[in-house]
Amino acid sequence: DIKTWMLSNKLQMNEDKTEVLLVTPKRVAKSEPFPEFMNINGTSVKFCPSLRNLGITLDSTLSLHQHVLNVCRGAFLELRRINSIRNFLTTDAVKTLVCSLVLSRVDYCNSLLAGLPQCRLEKIQYVQNAAARLIFRAPKSDHVSPLLQKLHWLPISCRIEHKISSLCYNSLSGTGPQYLSDLIQVYTSSRCLSLHLTLASFESQRSKPSPMVSAPLHIKVLSSGTNFPWKSDIRAKLMA
């Protein structure tokens, strides 16, 4: 029982504000009927198509489509507000505002966006492109890649890879959260393999190597008590 579990963990459930989300694959949701209500402590709670938890909008198929739309909507709203006072601000001031009000929304929990179709990530990339053009007052016809390089901003897909690489590195090196470290198991081969040969053959089988695979060797090799400048190295690899 949900209410019993919450009481045992010293939580109070408000039936009037409780939302329930039924997560199913899209093909199953279309082929099989599901109940519309769930009984919680004698109260019928209707399944909602999406709900918000810790700032993330989840839908019944975990496509994160609505979450991407909410991120873009909020980011473009902040960009319009900054644009209204752009004539009174310096370039550095606009960059600071964009980083604190826009990029913070884009980067929040962006590791959940890994694996999404490129068409959804492009919506968020439009936000970053608009932010870069706002900072330099560049017209829409200008190419945005030189602007991103001048700002030292990674594209959205690379920002996601950088976040995941950071979480993996911190978890493996013991500086990350313990609950993530407990989920990772280090693979130990029974055979003596050449690290350079193994990584090279693995990279050749991938059309787009991940940043941790294509990163320099000293980033991949973790030893206790060693502090490598791995963040700058991975960032430089993604910027290349």
Side-chain angles (χ1 to χ4, degrees):
D1 184 38
I2 297 177
K3 189 171 184 179
T4 304
W5 176 85
M6 295 186 69
L7 291 176
S8 63
N9 288 274
K10 299 180 180 181
L11 299 174
Q12 180 65 35
M13 185 176 67
N14 188 344
E15 289 85 356
D16 297 332
K17 297 183 179 179
T18 301
E19 296 178 317
V20 180
L21 179 67
L22 180 62
V23 178
T24 57
K26 185 179 296 185
R27 62 181 184 276
V28 176
K30 292 181 179 180
S31 60
E32 298 182 9
F34 290 95
E36 297 182 359
F37 297 91
M38 180 178 181
N39 189 357
I40 301 179
N41 195 34
T43 303
S44 296
V45 181
K46 187 176 182 179
F47 288 106
C48 54
S50 63
L51 56 82
R52 189 178 180 88
N53 185 25
L54 299 178
I56 305 298
T57 303
L58 302 174
D59 54 80
S60 58
T61 58
L62 296 182
S63 63
L64 296 178
H65 174 68
Q66 189 61 42
H67 173 69
V68 171
L69 294 180
N70 292 342
V71 169
C72 295
R73 185 183 301 113
F76 277 121
L77 175 61
E78 297 297 340
L79 286 177
R80 287 193 294 269
R81 290 176 175 176
I82 298 173
N83 188 44
S84 64
I85 58 174
R86 177 64 181 88
N87 295 331
F88 306 99
L89 301 174
T90 62
T91 301
D92 292 337
V94 176
K95 181 180 177 180
T96 301
L97 286 176
V98 168
C99 290
S100 60
L101 299 177
V102 179
L103 293 188
S104 59
R105 293 174 178 268
V106 171
D107 291 336
Y108 178 71
C109 291
N110 62 346
S111 57
L112 295 176
L113 305 178
L116 287 185
Q118 189 63 29
C119 60
R120 293 209 178 98
L121 296 182
E122 286 178 354
K123 297 180 183 296
I124 307 180
Q125 186 62 55
Y126 293 153
V127 174
Q128 190 184 41
N129 296 347
R133 291 191 174 99
L134 176 62
I135 292 175
F136 294 107
R137 294 184 174 181
K140 292 184 179 180
S141 58
D142 286 1
H143 203 290
V144 75
S145 296
L147 303 180
L148 297 179
Q149 293 178 356
K150 189 180 297 184
L151 291 168
H152 299 283
W153 287 358
L154 292 172
I156 296 301
S157 58
C158 294
R159 296 174 84 92
I160 296 173
E161 292 181 353
H162 183 269
K163 175 68 74 62
I164 296 177
S165 301
S166 301
L167 291 174
C168 292
Y169 187 96
N170 290 334
S171 300
L172 290 173
S173 61
T175 59
Q178 186 61 38
Y179 64 87
L180 289 181
S181 301
D182 296 338
L183 296 175
I184 297 179
Q185 295 181 356
V186 180
Y187 173 74
T188 303
S189 177
S190 59
R191 297 179 297 169
C192 181
L193 302 176
S194 173
L195 182 61
H196 292 278
L197 181 60
T198 303
L199 293 175
S201 59
F202 182 68
E203 289 182 16
S204 62
Q205 299 175 3
R206 296 173 59 97
S207 59
K208 183 181 179 182
S210 64
M212 288 302 290
V213 172
S214 57
L217 182 62
H218 71 272
I219 299 178
K220 304 165 189 170
V221 179
L222 302 174
S223 58
S224 58
T226 305
N227 185 18
F228 291 117
W230 57 273
K231 280 190 177 181
S232 59
D233 289 335
I234 293 180
R235 188 179 182 86
K237 184 68 177 179
L238 292 171
M239 289 290 292

